[in-house]
Amino acid sequence: MSNPGQHMAAEIAEQPAVLGGLVARRGEIADVAAAISRRPPRFALLAARGSSDHAALYAKYLIEVLLGLPAGLVSPSTVTLYGARPDLRDVLLVSVSQSGGSPDLLEFTQTARKQGALTVAVTNTPASPLGGAAELAVDIGAGTETAVAATKTYSATLLALYLLVDAVRGGDSSAAAEIEPLARQALEVDVQRAVDRYRFVDRIITTGRGYSYATALESALKLAETSYLAARAYSGADLLHGPVAAVDEETAVLAITGTGRGGAALRDVLTTVAERGADVLALGSSAGEVPAAVRIPVPSVAEELAPVLEVLPVQRIALGLALARGFDPDRPRGLNKVTRTR
């Protein structure tokens, strides 16, 4: 029998090599991007569930900011449960699924293709039903993931989506050239103080702005599924619109704060929650510049790539908290590797 957290720890450690390998295969992704460019879409839709849904939100920011196209997250049940058949001519659908085995994403992708969409599957299992249903496919190449909580497949999905969008806009992926050594640096950051300080909290709020909002969402999911914390993610813009009323001295706040525009927009939010007595854990490339009880620095990189690095110490915190609280993150209760919904 394996030691608690053994698989999750091993797969967290694999990520720099996985990310480096993905950059080395950027030519394959550029070929998919070229096919998209030959059929320029009016707008983009993204379909995903779970951690992949957070990656899809990240892609939404990439598409809207870097490509100047409107993008939206689909509700698969409009097709699978309600039988909707929208007109998707000249629309790009990107279906994101690490396993490629979710029935609702498969059905939505099949229907979207029939309705005229250019369909792209971004998956760790290119031979999966989803990979076969889409017209184009991007293999994130993370290798078999044995941990239930997604780690290397999540970060690799983020990078694959970045490389795809960057190639569509005519980029050369140069911003990602050093992602492997930067990822190694991000994994070497000491997170033990955060684990020691927050091991007894019952609830935590995670927050971020812009590209890093996806990291806040993924952080809340990781903390909930490995440590069974009552974790809730908010955009920094939404946090002050009402949820801040629930913030007090008993509240832990994990803030994803970088050096770009999103991080700058979060600073006033963090000042407010700190004034309310919240215990703030700041994580990111500008962690040292905001009011916080604990700061975890992350190497600086182009803002649109920051989520690839930000999530790495988050995963280590989730692993450490689970073990400190007496849980095995490799066997989270009630969870399976593939969740089948319709």
Side-chain angles (χ1 to χ4, degrees):
M1 180 176 293
S2 61
N3 295 324
Q6 175 181 316
H7 295 302
M8 185 176 180
E11 289 173 352
I12 288 173
E14 288 177 26
Q15 288 174 106
V18 168
L19 297 174
L22 192 51
V23 172
R25 293 191 298 106
R26 61 190 179 278
E28 300 172 18
I29 298 176
D31 290 341
V32 176
I36 295 171
S37 298
R38 287 193 291 270
R39 290 173 55 182
R42 293 181 291 122
F43 61 89
L45 293 174
L46 298 125
R49 293 289 192 193
S51 286
S52 294
D53 201 34
H54 306 154
L57 177 65
Y58 167 68
K60 180 180 187 296
Y61 276 89
L62 291 174
I63 291 167
E64 293 190 339
V65 176
L66 303 185
L67 300 184
L69 290 176
L73 304 179
V74 306
S75 299
S77 61
T78 59
V79 165
T80 62
L81 297 184
Y82 295 97
R85 294 296 182 266
D87 180 356
L88 297 180
R89 288 172 293 179
D90 300 322
V91 172
L92 172 66
L93 173 72
V94 181
S95 298
V96 187
S97 173
Q98 291 145 14
S99 69
S102 181
D104 54 351
L105 296 184
L106 174 61
E107 184 176 342
F108 192 97
T109 302
Q110 292 169 329
T111 300
R113 188 170 179 178
K114 291 176 183 176
Q115 295 300 111
L118 173 59
T119 53
V120 181
V122 178
T123 176
N124 195 43
T125 316
S128 64
L130 181 64
E135 188 171 340
L136 302 168
V138 172
D139 178 7
I140 69 171
T144 302
E145 188 168 58
T146 56
V148 175
T151 53
K152 64 182 182 180
T153 52
Y154 179 74
S155 59
T157 298
L158 295 183
L159 183 57
L161 289 166
Y162 169 79
L163 294 172
L164 178 65
V165 173
D166 182 61
V168 171
R169 69 166 172 167
D172 60 3
S173 70
S174 57
E178 298 300 314
I179 202 71
E180 182 173 354
L182 290 173
R184 294 192 189 283
Q185 291 179 39
L187 286 176
E188 290 169 357
V189 174
D190 185 12
V191 300
Q192 191 57 48
R193 186 178 171 209
V195 171
D196 292 341
R197 187 176 183 92
Y198 300 106
R199 63 181 296 184
F200 297 113
V201 301
D202 293 319
R203 60 190 177 96
I204 187 167
I205 288 173
T206 66
T207 188
R209 288 293 305 270
Y211 295 104
S212 294
Y213 180 38
T215 310
L217 289 162
E218 178 65 10
S219 300
L221 176 60
K222 282 291 161 285
L223 293 169
E225 67 184 354
T226 59
S227 297
Y228 316 135
L229 282 167
R232 181 71 184 269
Y234 293 100
S235 161
D238 292 330
L239 184 57
L240 298 185
H241 279 249
V244 73
V247 173
D248 57 23
E249 294 84 354
E250 302 299 318
T251 308
V253 176
L254 169 56
I256 311 300
T257 176
T259 52
R261 296 182 184 183
L266 191 64
R267 291 179 189 177
D268 287 346
V269 178
L270 297 184
T271 299
T272 299
V273 299
E275 288 172 350
R276 294 186 61 85
D279 195 305
V280 177
L281 165 58
L283 186 151
S285 55
S286 69
E289 303 170 18
V290 299
V294 179
R295 298 178 177 88
I296 296 180
V298 174
S300 183
V301 72
E303 183 178 6
E304 59 266 28
L305 264 174
V308 179
L309 298 180
E310 292 164 348
V311 75
L312 305 182
V314 169
Q315 294 168 352
R316 291 188 57 228
I317 291 170
L319 170 63
L321 282 174
L323 296 175
R325 291 161 68 90
F327 305 125
D328 183 356
D330 287 339
R331 297 178 178 81
R333 58 195 184 208
L335 294 184
N336 296 306
K337 193 63 187 166
V338 179
T339 302
R340 300 189 176 277
T341 55
R342 187 172 186 275

